Amino acid sequence: MLPVLAEANSLPQANIPDIQWLPLIPHIVMAGAAVVLLTIVSVAGRWLPGWFASAWTAAAGLAVLATAIPVWIRVDQEGESSTIAGSIGVDQFSVFIIVLLACSVVLTALVADGFLHRESLDGPAFYVLLMLSAAGGITMASANNLIVLFLGLEILSLAVYVLVAMHLRRAESQEAGIKYFVLGAFASAFLLYGIALVYGATGSLNLADIRLRQGGWFAYAGSESSSTDAGMQGVPEGVAMLSADNGLLLAGMAMLLVGFGFKVAAVPFHAWTPDVYQGAPSPVVSYMAAGVKAAGFAALLRVFFGGFLGVADDWQPVMFGLAIASLAVGSMLAIVQTDVKRILAYSSISHAGFILVGVQAATDDGVASVLFYLAAYAAMAIGSFAVITVVSGPGDEGTGLDSLRGLAARRPLLAAAFTVLLLSQAGIPFTVGFWAKFEVITAAVDARSFWLAVIAMLAAVVAAFLYLRIVVTMFLESPDADAPRLSIPRGPAVAVVIVVLFTLAFGIYPEPLLNLADDAWLNLRLHAH
Amino acid sequence: MGGSTVLPVIIFLPLVGAAAIALIAPSRATVLKPVAVATSAATGALTLWLMGAFDKNDGDFQFTQLTEWIGSAGISWHVGVDGISLFLVVLTGLLFPIAIVACDPPHDAKAYYIWMLVLETGCLGVFLALDLVLFFLFFEVVLIPMYFLIGKWGHENRKYAATKFFLFTMLGSALMLVGMLTLALLTARETGGAVTFNLIELANSAGELPTITARWIFLSFVLAFAVKVPLFPVHTWLPDAHTEAPTAGSVILAGVLLKLGTYGLVRFGLYLFPEASQYFAPLLFTLGVIGILYGAVVATMQRDLKRLVAYSSVAHLGFIVLGIFSINTEGIEGGLLQMVNHGLSTGALFLLVGFIYERRHTRQISEMIGLQKAAPVLAAVFTVVMLSSVGLPGLNGFVGEFLILAGAFVAHRWWAVVAAAGVILAALYLLWAYQRVFHGTPDDANRSMPDLNWQEKLVMVPLVGLIVFLGVYPKPVIERMEPSVNALIEHMEEVEGIESPTVGDRPEGSFEELRKLKADYGDEGEGH
């Protein structure tokens, strides 16, 4: 008997579900590290050195990384399962995203170290919120239940709202925080409404269960998809099948898509992105671009590919439209910006469009390409915003394009590193960004979305123009005579070195990362082992 | 890992040199150039050795090396050389040391030499890659060094020109990437095999794809190459890029980079899409002829000497496309030979224009007069090179143009007739420009212009020598190309059952003279 149904049949008794602890350790470590840090600092704060919170956060991220590896190995050996009454999925897909989030936390902590000191914002609040937000992201990425997913999303979002408004003395930061909060609350409401409608249509909040109920007509949608076969097995008798034109389900899916579209900054739900990216403290932006986007796409894939694969024909065209809109708007509006953070905000919208190209394919290869893209983009985004953190100078004010003028003459290595990251974002060969685009386009072509592939590549050319604009400013223009001397703190320097090495190493030999993304199947299971 | 290791050494030697230069301390700036020259010269020597060791009776790929690179995606490290790519490799090996010796960068020498050597690795990689993705990687990565060379060491309008160059080329190759993926995935689906980007395997299953699909994919490839060639009407980046680039950049751009496009048309157009090439040949043919006439007319009207040479490239490359899409042995051989010839003569022309610019700090034709009196050696060298570009019999340009016109005449007679007019126009714009710049009585500004120094003379010696040698005795080149070109045509006929018109198919006697001439120039060893 399925755990969920068992639970439903025996409501009067208190029924404690079986819990596998191993897959939950990364969740617990990330959330626990945040709470413990808060406790330690409030008790013993005055005796601790300045670097303590940053080091603690980095260590917590590494610990999550370390505890995620056994989960991966276990899933590899025993296959996917779920725990806590089927509400948390134990699969390599979620482990991949957990590792990605953990790495984002480590790198963001490195970037933030010098920044907080420079801006006199020292204190544990930033790091606590960062880890809490990542804990929410981890929950989102592994939720098999829509309510659990919503909880994860709220934990992630609330922490990020505060992070955005972190910069106490900067009005733009406050403004961005309010803007992000109001719009984000709207998006969450949409999401919740969508969950309610889906529940109304399917009678279940469990994604694996919802997928089973589409059994009658989803065999065709993923006939080449290996994960479908597993889903087909054991459709329980007596489970009511949904009809293909269930209006309630379609409306619910549309609402869910609004909520996720907001989180991943896809057009037309992108309007907050440039303002928030510009106003928020730069290290926070690097986390938003890498971590929040990854968590958002993970949730999007879990719900749509994991839960609604049976009605893929209904949502694929919508993803197609969102992808084209994001690619076009993101790359074109980026051209007319003069602020580097705004440029990269629009470019992140265009990257969201690229990732949606992989989502739209609705195949296992598409999911793998999305994961690869997310990993590549996380590295490029964190590195880019780390450079901006350093360049923008005291007050986080110097984010105009002209603050980069002649950077190659002032700080050649920093300029070279930024160039590598920008070229990677443009998808130039021998950088990881090229393979990200390669994988996504392969998935699109394989799903016979040729025109989407063509449009995506054209948008990539338009986007290349804006990356070149930044490169031109750094290399081909001479620095202002009164340009302040740039000091590069150790934390951001280490972070930039790591991501540049990542970008080049996997640019030359992407096989290991490709294999990991390929292995990270999204296969939702109702059962515990 | 199997096969010969000479090609990877050739490809990566310049990169090793670039890395070495990157490690040289700023205080020892004087050794930068010697290291760059030594590396590129060593690479050039290796390519010459390659030419010597090349088996001229074998039309297949030689010195191949094949090893898995990204197995899950069907991408391999696969390099090899045949008669089609051999001379482009040698040309690259020759032009780079010449360009590096001839021109010193005015500033940032270290970065300049690094980019030059990275560029050389990219170009060699393009010519030697036998895997589609590997080819694409090199094809794209070439943009970066060229972008910086134009943007950092170019003339006034360099930022605009560099960005335009980058975006135009990237636009073309963006669609080619989609085309490549479609080709590989659909071929795998048709044949039921694993996805592979191996050029030879894809070519062997070239007939498997539905005709319409193959034509679309072919078009995506052609767009990328047409931008690079550049073919009318996507040529507009070329005058800007050539004019604004530093001299060495122009030499490499004209001499080597444009050949990436024409080489791509042969290797990835004809070889992979026999039917589609045949189908679209009239279109490309026509664009080639338009390019010949348009390039010539616009070149005639230029006031800037460098821009004039740039537009002459449009015309010359039109000839090469014309030859390639004749799809017969004469035309393709002529096209390949003309690629080498154009690299030599236009490369030399850009060098000479660069030498003049260094002395006079102007490129305006109207500001130069009577340079012959001031610099007789420069004028003499310019004459030889210019006549080679015009296509004077006895110099290399004539052999290539003749073969192209012979091939084109058989395939599409009237286009050949029109294209032949382009030869006359070439004489018009080049001779007229020569007359304005070198003849007449020099005014004060021009009278004191110094002649070529020993270094400049030295770099012109191999170029002029080859221009004359290939004009008199092109046999060593043609006999190495021929087996590969024949194999290519056989492959096309085999896959599609198409009949390529050849000189021999025509009624006996009508081409007697043509064949006789051809025998004089190329095939005397073959017993024709």
Side-chain angles (χ1 to χ4, degrees), chain B residues 30 59 72-73 83 87 95 103 109 124 129 132 145 197 200 262 270 288 312 390 402 436 440 444 455 488-489 512 522:
Chain B
T30 46
S72 56
F87 289 97
L95 278 184
C103 318
L124 290 167
L132 262 66
F197 289 93
I200 297 170
T262 44
L270 300 189
S312 82
V390 169
F402 179 79
R436 283 179 289 170
D444 290 341
Q455 188 184 334
L488 173 65
I489 294 208
E512 206 53 57

Short mmCIF file of all heavy atoms in Angstrom, two decimals, chain B residues 30 59 72-73 83 87 95 103 109 124 129 132 145 197 200 262 270 288 312 390 402 436 440 444 455 488-489 512 522:
data_model
loop_
_atom_site.label_atom_id
_atom_site.label_comp_id
_atom_site.label_asym_id
_atom_site.label_seq_id
_atom_site.Cartn_x
_atom_site.Cartn_y
_atom_site.Cartn_z
N THR B 30 62.87 42.57 -24.52
CA THR B 30 63.55 42.40 -25.81
C THR B 30 63.49 40.96 -26.33
O THR B 30 63.69 40.72 -27.51
CB THR B 30 65.03 42.81 -25.69
OG1 THR B 30 65.55 42.21 -24.51
CG2 THR B 30 65.18 44.31 -25.63
N GLY B 59 44.93 10.06 -51.85
CA GLY B 59 43.90 11.09 -51.75
C GLY B 59 43.20 11.10 -50.41
O GLY B 59 42.31 11.91 -50.18
N SER B 72 30.51 10.91 -24.28
CA SER B 72 29.07 10.86 -24.13
C SER B 72 28.36 11.67 -25.21
O SER B 72 27.21 11.40 -25.54
CB SER B 72 28.68 11.40 -22.75
OG SER B 72 29.19 12.70 -22.58
N ALA B 73 29.05 12.66 -25.77
CA ALA B 73 28.41 13.48 -26.81
C ALA B 73 28.89 13.09 -28.21
O ALA B 73 28.48 13.72 -29.18
CB ALA B 73 28.70 14.95 -26.54
N GLY B 83 45.15 16.52 -49.34
CA GLY B 83 45.62 17.47 -50.34
C GLY B 83 44.87 18.79 -50.31
O GLY B 83 45.36 19.81 -50.78
N PHE B 87 47.99 22.60 -48.23
CA PHE B 87 48.65 23.85 -48.58
C PHE B 87 48.13 25.03 -47.79
O PHE B 87 48.82 26.03 -47.64
CB PHE B 87 48.54 24.07 -50.09
CG PHE B 87 49.41 23.10 -50.81
CD1 PHE B 87 48.87 21.93 -51.33
CD2 PHE B 87 50.77 23.30 -50.89
CE1 PHE B 87 49.68 21.01 -51.94
CE2 PHE B 87 51.58 22.38 -51.49
CZ PHE B 87 51.04 21.22 -52.02
N LEU B 95 52.87 32.35 -43.43
CA LEU B 95 52.46 33.74 -43.27
C LEU B 95 52.65 34.25 -41.85
O LEU B 95 52.94 35.42 -41.66
CB LEU B 95 51.00 33.91 -43.70
CG LEU B 95 50.74 34.06 -45.19
CD1 LEU B 95 49.27 34.31 -45.45
CD2 LEU B 95 51.55 35.20 -45.78
N CYS B 103 56.18 43.19 -38.73
CA CYS B 103 55.55 44.32 -38.05
C CYS B 103 55.80 44.24 -36.55
O CYS B 103 55.56 43.20 -35.93
CB CYS B 103 54.04 44.31 -38.28
SG CYS B 103 53.58 43.93 -39.96
N ALA B 109 53.59 44.88 -26.38
CA ALA B 109 54.13 43.84 -27.26
C ALA B 109 53.81 42.43 -26.76
O ALA B 109 53.53 41.53 -27.54
CB ALA B 109 55.64 44.02 -27.36
N LEU B 124 45.41 26.79 -37.52
CA LEU B 124 45.88 25.44 -37.85
C LEU B 124 44.86 24.41 -37.41
O LEU B 124 44.61 23.42 -38.12
CB LEU B 124 47.24 25.20 -37.18
CG LEU B 124 48.40 26.00 -37.77
CD1 LEU B 124 49.60 25.94 -36.85
CD2 LEU B 124 48.75 25.49 -39.15
N ALA B 129 41.21 19.93 -38.29
CA ALA B 129 40.19 19.21 -37.54
C ALA B 129 39.33 18.35 -38.46
O ALA B 129 38.93 18.79 -39.54
CB ALA B 129 39.31 20.19 -36.78
N LEU B 132 33.45 17.60 -36.41
CA LEU B 132 32.69 18.82 -36.62
C LEU B 132 32.76 19.77 -35.43
O LEU B 132 32.94 20.98 -35.58
CB LEU B 132 31.21 18.49 -36.93
CG LEU B 132 30.87 18.49 -38.41
CD1 LEU B 132 31.61 17.37 -39.10
CD2 LEU B 132 29.40 18.36 -38.63
N PRO B 145 41.36 36.14 -30.55
CA PRO B 145 42.61 36.85 -30.80
C PRO B 145 42.47 37.92 -31.87
O PRO B 145 43.03 39.01 -31.74
CB PRO B 145 43.58 35.74 -31.22
CG PRO B 145 42.78 34.54 -31.44
CD PRO B 145 41.51 34.69 -30.69
N PHE B 197 30.22 13.07 -34.27
CA PHE B 197 30.53 14.28 -35.03
C PHE B 197 31.74 14.05 -35.92
O PHE B 197 32.32 14.99 -36.46
CB PHE B 197 30.78 15.46 -34.08
CG PHE B 197 29.53 15.94 -33.40
CD1 PHE B 197 29.16 15.46 -32.17
CD2 PHE B 197 28.71 16.87 -34.03
CE1 PHE B 197 28.01 15.90 -31.55
CE2 PHE B 197 27.56 17.32 -33.42
CZ PHE B 197 27.21 16.84 -32.17
N ILE B 200 34.33 12.00 -41.18
CA ILE B 200 34.38 10.94 -42.19
C ILE B 200 33.15 10.05 -42.08
O ILE B 200 32.52 9.71 -43.09
CB ILE B 200 35.69 10.13 -42.03
CG1 ILE B 200 36.86 11.07 -42.29
CG2 ILE B 200 35.72 8.97 -42.98
CD1 ILE B 200 38.20 10.50 -41.94
N THR B 262 36.32 29.53 -47.23
CA THR B 262 36.33 28.77 -48.47
C THR B 262 36.71 27.31 -48.21
O THR B 262 36.15 26.40 -48.81
CB THR B 262 37.31 29.39 -49.48
OG1 THR B 262 38.52 29.71 -48.79
CG2 THR B 262 36.74 30.66 -50.06
N LEU B 270 30.74 20.68 -49.70
CA LEU B 270 30.72 19.67 -50.75
C LEU B 270 30.79 18.26 -50.19
O LEU B 270 30.06 17.36 -50.61
CB LEU B 270 31.91 19.87 -51.70
CG LEU B 270 32.02 21.20 -52.43
CD1 LEU B 270 33.12 21.13 -53.47
CD2 LEU B 270 30.71 21.56 -53.09
N GLY B 288 29.04 34.43 -56.13
CA GLY B 288 30.47 34.55 -56.38
C GLY B 288 30.74 35.54 -57.51
O GLY B 288 31.60 36.43 -57.39
N SER B 312 39.49 44.27 -53.07
CA SER B 312 39.99 43.33 -54.07
C SER B 312 39.87 41.91 -53.54
O SER B 312 39.69 40.97 -54.31
CB SER B 312 41.43 43.66 -54.45
OG SER B 312 42.31 43.12 -53.49
N VAL B 390 46.59 40.75 -60.17
CA VAL B 390 45.83 40.97 -61.40
C VAL B 390 45.64 39.66 -62.15
O VAL B 390 44.63 39.46 -62.82
CB VAL B 390 46.56 42.01 -62.27
CG1 VAL B 390 45.96 42.07 -63.66
CG2 VAL B 390 46.53 43.37 -61.61
N PHE B 402 42.90 30.80 -64.06
CA PHE B 402 42.68 30.05 -65.30
C PHE B 402 41.95 28.74 -65.02
O PHE B 402 40.97 28.41 -65.69
CB PHE B 402 44.02 29.76 -65.98
CG PHE B 402 43.85 28.98 -67.23
CD1 PHE B 402 43.45 29.62 -68.40
CD2 PHE B 402 44.03 27.61 -67.24
CE1 PHE B 402 43.25 28.89 -69.55
CE2 PHE B 402 43.82 26.89 -68.39
CZ PHE B 402 43.43 27.53 -69.55
N ARG B 436 48.65 56.01 -59.76
CA ARG B 436 48.47 57.22 -58.97
C ARG B 436 49.48 57.31 -57.83
O ARG B 436 49.95 58.39 -57.50
CB ARG B 436 47.04 57.26 -58.39
CG ARG B 436 46.01 57.66 -59.43
CD ARG B 436 44.62 57.67 -58.83
NE ARG B 436 44.15 56.31 -58.55
CZ ARG B 436 43.06 56.04 -57.85
NH1 ARG B 436 42.35 57.02 -57.32
NH2 ARG B 436 42.68 54.78 -57.65
N GLY B 440 54.52 59.61 -61.49
CA GLY B 440 54.44 61.06 -61.33
C GLY B 440 55.67 61.60 -60.60
O GLY B 440 56.57 60.86 -60.20
N ASP B 444 56.97 67.24 -51.88
CA ASP B 444 57.91 67.27 -50.76
C ASP B 444 57.69 66.15 -49.76
O ASP B 444 58.63 65.54 -49.25
CB ASP B 444 57.81 68.62 -50.04
CG ASP B 444 58.37 69.72 -50.92
OD1 ASP B 444 59.12 69.36 -51.86
OD2 ASP B 444 58.04 70.89 -50.67
N GLN B 455 65.10 44.30 -43.12
CA GLN B 455 64.12 43.40 -42.50
C GLN B 455 62.89 43.25 -43.40
O GLN B 455 62.37 42.16 -43.60
CB GLN B 455 63.73 43.98 -41.14
CG GLN B 455 62.87 43.07 -40.31
CD GLN B 455 62.45 43.77 -39.01
OE1 GLN B 455 63.12 44.67 -38.52
NE2 GLN B 455 61.35 43.35 -38.47
N LEU B 488 37.27 13.53 -53.58
CA LEU B 488 36.09 14.29 -53.16
C LEU B 488 34.99 14.19 -54.21
O LEU B 488 33.83 13.93 -53.90
CB LEU B 488 36.47 15.75 -52.92
CG LEU B 488 35.34 16.73 -52.64
CD1 LEU B 488 34.68 16.39 -51.32
CD2 LEU B 488 35.86 18.16 -52.60
N ILE B 489 35.38 14.35 -55.47
CA ILE B 489 34.37 14.31 -56.53
C ILE B 489 33.79 12.91 -56.66
O ILE B 489 32.57 12.74 -56.81
CB ILE B 489 35.00 14.79 -57.85
CG1 ILE B 489 35.35 16.26 -57.65
CG2 ILE B 489 34.08 14.55 -59.02
CD1 ILE B 489 35.36 17.10 -58.83
N GLU B 512 40.48 21.44 -76.77
CA GLU B 512 41.84 20.96 -76.98
C GLU B 512 42.86 21.93 -76.38
O GLU B 512 43.75 21.55 -75.64
CB GLU B 512 42.08 20.80 -78.48
CG GLU B 512 43.15 19.79 -78.81
CD GLU B 512 42.87 18.45 -78.14
OE1 GLU B 512 41.79 17.88 -78.35
OE2 GLU B 512 43.74 17.99 -77.38
N GLY B 522 49.82 22.11 -65.08
CA GLY B 522 49.69 21.27 -63.90
C GLY B 522 49.99 19.82 -64.10
O GLY B 522 50.63 19.19 -63.27
#
